[in-house]
Amino acid sequence: MLASRLRALLAGSAASTADGATLERLLRERLFVLAEQAEVDPFGNPILLMALEISRMMDGGQASPEAIDQLVQRLSVKSFADRVDRQVRYLGDTDPQANALAIAAVVRTIAGTPLLSFDAFRTRIERAVLGIVLTAHPTFGMKIELSRALMRMATGREEAGGPLGASAGADTLREVMNADHLPPGNLTLAVEHDFSIEALGHIQDALDRTNEIVLDVAAELYPDHWSQLRPNLITAASWVGYDLDGRTDIAWSDTVAKRLGVKLAQLKRHQLAIARIGGADPAVADALAPAGTLLDGAVTMVEQQQVLLAAVAGHPERVGDLSHLFVTGREAGLVTAAPLRAVVAAALAATEDRTIQRDLVTLDASLASHGLGLAHTHVRLNATQLHNAIRKQVGMETAPNDPSHRRSYHNAINDLLGSVTPVTVNFADLMAERATAKRLFMIVRQMVKYVDADTPVRFLIAETEAGFTLLTALYYARLFGVEDQVEISPLYETAEALERGDGIIEEALRSPHYKDYLKRTGRLTVQFGFSDSGRYLGQMAATFMIERLRLRLAGLLERHELTDVQIVLFNTHGESIGRGGHPSSLADRLRYVSPPVTRANFEKFGIAVKEEVSFQGGDGFLPFMGFASALAVMRGVFETMLLPDPEAIDDPIYRENDYAVEFFATIQQLFESLVEDPNYAVLVSAYGANLVPRTGSRPTKRQHDGSARAMEVTHVSQIRAIPNNAILQQLGLLANTLFGVGRARAKDPELFDELCQRSPRFRRAMVMVETALGFSDLDVLRAHIDTLNPGMWLSRSARTRRPERAMELRGVSSALERLDLHPALIKLYRRLQADFLDLTDRAGAYGGGLEGKLEPDRQHTLVLLHVVRLALIHRIYLLAMHVPDFSPHHGLMRADIVTRLIRLDVPGAVQLLKEIFPKVDDGAVPAAAGSDEPSTYEGEAAQGYAREHETLFDPLLALYAQVLRLSNAIAYQIGAVG
């Protein structure tokens, strides 16, 4: 495997007395000794001691800046190799031929013995069971080139699926060895969208291949009817560019442009397909010629629309030209796949060649499933944005679920639904609209009118906690004439929403308008937020509450005689365990968010179910950065979602209902109390997101309509889920997965152990806990907390014999005294420590606890990453004491700059310092002043502050860059950003 070759390259690196390889070996040996000493010395901290030793080695020259940089690169590359191995284990076999055979075997199992009737088989094959949804969550921890390299290494194949030759393999290894292992430098929404387009292209290629396999098997089993099939088992969707929840930086033109980009990429794929199929038979080529003409015209028109849309973004006065182009070019641009499908049908009738027929049916299946886009469209906003838009019309003065007003609000919106008259809109209206909710519905209207009239648009509403919210969305859908084109979906992610999610829908069903809407569209869509619910409730409690809600939703549909309505369950989760991504395999991931028992429960009521899972940001896109890995995902979906699942039968966790309810309620209660602990907010905001590189275009803190100003963090709700989780990962304790589990386990350790052994569902959840334990280390957390302890720095100053270093250490102590973070942090640490010890139970008080699941070599590498980074943070602190004093600058004093550096806002602090102390003050003396009177004098103005730049500002930035590279390597080890 290429990952092994990469490690061999590292092991064979030339070593000198002070290079990175030698330094790594010395540190690993020394760390092992310190760890052994810690077993008998409960008062020592090997992490802090090792960081101190590295600092001394840097002072003494045993660890030169070059050696440290080499060490950082070595650890990054080694962690990248570990990340490759994780992908290999996660996806399983990625050989396209083997996966084709596995998919075919599943199709034969579906057909059964004796053979299903064709109609029954067709129903199974044309009903989607899983949707893949790409989102723009900020997990773009590596550049797209490095993402491709990772998947080439994991699969041993090029992006198109062919074997990776020796030369290409060697080039890939060199690329990885020399990469900076940081996110894209200019990480914009456009970069994220380009990333998603590439991933969606591979998904569509894998879907086409999957459908070809299905059709080949069907042709064997149903030779007289197979060409009537249009396979539709797996779909793709995207909200990259359409997610406005908590964002005010995405303009309407951005959203429309991104949707046009998705359309253009799919039109070009269809062009290639037409050319390829037609190239096999001149008669078929003639039959397909009209489709080629339609596609050529559509591509030209969409490209023109993109150009003008970009111009309007900077010149709004050209909105009239934009409207004219879209109106007059509507037919040429294609807004429905019907004309293309008609041509394909004619070509199908013109050939008897079974391979050409299969290819034509595959093309038609793609047109039927995804219309004029690489993916279905999901738009998202927040419930508050809807409430703000409707507030005046219904006289809303309180929250919509306020018991004293709930009924009146419901009646008011129901009356509006009964009397609303649809309106027409144009691009000028869209540009002028200030309310986000109305503007988004207007965008959807323009998409339906000018981009794709066939494919429904999912309308996701974050933080839905009242049926009123769903009715408000329906009102605006009706007002803007898209009621039948949008799928309104509540997003449940808070405790209240998860506890009464079925009740929220039931509230909406009291309106005949909503019930009629569900019956007419034939679909109820519900979204579950594993990330945010895990942040507020603890990941273990959140997944239990989501599962209970899934079970109740089946009963809700049965009570309201809606069992003929398909239910779509969108499980929004990330790649990390803290956000609901199971670490073991794709099959475990699917079963974790979509428990087999809940799927069987819907089947019992005769309710058709489609599951959807999110693949979030750069981390989530990885499996789709090549054809072979994307096809492996399809095989995993087929095997997990289409075959009978033995886990749906007689899992003992469902018989032990009282225990399960109490176990997870204990976790929820304890974690909610942790979230409300003000000291927890101090921990998360001590460094904040400065500890990790910027991995997305969206802000770390939520933005709100009318205000995007930074706020002091007093509660974790002010920080988004991914940065929140990332901070916990980087501090060495994955509390959102672990906290509360130890106490819950201690209530009945014997039954806990029994269920871990006998219940697949419970065991799968506890594997999440064991994995989180493997990435967690109390010593690492304590070392960070002690780094913010003024007393630690004072104690160091008492031991040094270097006057300058003593002054630096005492300066750090004084700066930390002003911040006064340590008292809160050490109090919180004791709380986290006690729960952690309950969970691990090394003393056997509860019969022995859980152990972390991480290979020893990876464990050592992870600890070393933390240690080296901590040493570099300490160097930043010491350098910060050399910031020169200066007169107040826009209200800032020297102490403010030092505080920024202590909190690791190094780029912001250095930018201010460079403004205050310019390298050369070019404007100090007019250039013409000395033209007639020569001078050799160089005053301070001419000299500037080059020395400060060279010895302080630039070294601070260099150290911080190394800190971020190590943080990214830690994310490699954990397997995800946040």
Side-chain angles (χ1 to χ4, degrees), residues 329-346:
R330 185 175 186 272
E331 183 176 351
L334 284 180
V335 295
T336 174
L340 294 173
R341 295 193 67 190
V343 175
V344 172

Side-chain angles (χ1 to χ4, degrees), residues 904-959:
L904 295 184
D905 180 14
V906 178
V910 170
Q911 181 180 348
L912 287 168
L913 286 170
K914 288 186 174 183
E915 292 174 6
I916 298 167
F917 301 101
K919 196 169 189 177
V920 177
D921 192 352
D922 294 327
V925 180
S931 57
D932 296 323
E933 189 177 10
S935 170
T936 59
Y937 172 70
E938 291 188 12
E940 288 187 10
Q943 295 172 7
Y945 297 94
R947 183 175 179 278
E948 284 77 5
H949 282 250
E950 182 180 345
T951 62
L952 180 59
F953 305 160
D954 293 340
L956 279 169
L957 291 174
L959 286 168

Side-chain angles (χ1 to χ4, degrees), residues 115-126 218-219 221-230:
L115 198 65
L116 281 178
S117 70
F118 177 74
D119 288 341
F121 180 75
R122 182 177 188 173
T123 298
R124 290 288 307 276
I125 295 301
E126 294 186 352
L221 302 178
Y222 306 96
D224 297 329
H225 305 288
W226 71 271
S227 63
Q228 300 172 32
L229 290 172
R230 296 299 178 269

Side-chain angles (χ1 to χ4, degrees), residues 517-701:
Y517 161 75
L518 293 183
K519 287 183 174 180
R520 190 170 60 256
T521 59
R523 181 173 294 176
L524 169 65
T525 59
V526 180
Q527 182 183 8
F528 307 113
F530 283 78
S531 293
D532 274 316
S533 60
R535 175 167 54 131
Y536 296 130
L537 311 173
Q539 185 53 233
M540 292 300 99
T543 187
F544 175 74
M545 293 184 73
I546 290 170
E547 180 175 3
R548 305 289 285 196
L549 176 54
R550 289 167 63 100
L551 292 168
R552 296 198 304 273
L553 286 172
L556 169 73
L557 292 177
E558 196 272 337
R559 286 197 307 275
H560 288 270
E561 300 179 344
L562 292 171
T563 54
D564 57 339
V565 170
Q566 181 192 40
I567 188 165
V568 179
L569 304 171
F570 180 15
N571 306 287
T572 316
H573 64 290
E575 277 45 57
S576 78
I577 51 180
R579 293 184 289 117
H582 202 280
S584 298
S585 67
L586 177 65
D588 284 298
R589 173 184 187 152
L590 295 174
R591 288 190 176 100
Y592 179 76
V593 297
S594 172
V597 166
T598 65
R599 283 186 272 129
N601 190 52
F602 284 109
E603 186 177 348
K604 181 181 72 175
F605 285 102
I607 300 169
V609 181
K610 179 187 179 184
E611 301 280 355
E612 291 182 340
V613 293
S614 61
F615 292 82
Q616 298 186 347
D619 286 339
F621 298 173
L622 274 177
F624 309 115
M625 296 312 294
F627 168 78
S629 52
L631 188 64
V633 172
M634 305 305 159
R635 182 260 307 152
V637 171
F638 267 54
E639 292 177 339
T640 307
M641 307 299 292
L642 290 171
L643 295 177
D645 199 322
E647 292 186 17
I649 304 169
D650 200 31
D651 188 318
I653 189 64
Y654 299 99
R655 294 198 303 271
E656 299 289 349
N657 184 63
D658 290 344
Y659 174 81
V661 169
E662 187 170 322
F663 180 87
F664 291 107
T666 299
I667 296 173
Q668 178 185 347
Q669 184 180 47
L670 290 170
F671 194 83
E672 285 179 331
S673 70
L674 177 68
V675 168
E676 296 304 321
D677 187 337
N679 298 332
Y680 187 58
V682 175
L683 175 70
V684 173
S685 63
Y687 297 124
N690 298 324
L691 198 56
V692 292
R694 182 172 178 265
T695 56
S697 66
R698 78 181 187 184
T700 301
K701 296 178 183 177

Side-chain angles (χ1 to χ4, degrees), residues 866-944:
H866 282 294
V867 165
V868 177
R869 189 184 59 180
L870 193 64
L872 296 177
I873 291 172
H874 288 184
R875 302 298 287 189
I876 289 173
Y877 282 18
L878 295 173
L879 267 182
M881 297 306 103
H882 293 274
V883 170
D885 207 354
F886 55 86
S887 301
H889 178 80
H890 300 304
L892 286 173
M893 305 289 287
R894 177 183 181 276
D896 299 313
I897 298 291
V898 170
T899 295
R900 285 193 175 209
L901 292 170
I902 293 292
R903 287 186 178 269
L904 295 184
D905 180 14
V906 178
V910 170
Q911 181 180 348
L912 287 168
L913 286 170
K914 288 186 174 183
E915 292 174 6
I916 298 167
F917 301 101
K919 196 169 189 177
V920 177
D921 192 352
D922 294 327
V925 180
S931 57
D932 296 323
E933 189 177 10
S935 170
T936 59
Y937 172 70
E938 291 188 12
E940 288 187 10
Q943 295 172 7

Side-chain angles (χ1 to χ4, degrees), residues 136 189 192 243-250 385 436 439 696-699 702-705 720:
L189 183 63
E192 296 168 349
D243 176 17
L244 304 185
D245 174 26
R247 292 189 73 158
T248 60
D249 60 320
I250 300 178
Q385 293 167 310
T436 301
R439 188 168 62 245
S697 66
R698 78 181 187 184
R702 289 187 175 272
Q703 294 178 323
H704 304 275
D705 287 353
R720 287 183 176 272

Side-chain angles (χ1 to χ4, degrees), residues 270-271 273-279 281-298 334 339-340 342-348 350 360 363:
H270 292 330
Q271 281 182 314
I274 292 288
R276 177 176 52 80
I277 297 170
D281 186 328
V284 174
D286 290 341
L288 288 174
T293 302
L294 286 169
L295 287 166
D296 291 344
L334 284 180
L340 294 173
V343 175
V344 172
L348 189 60
L360 287 168
L363 173 59

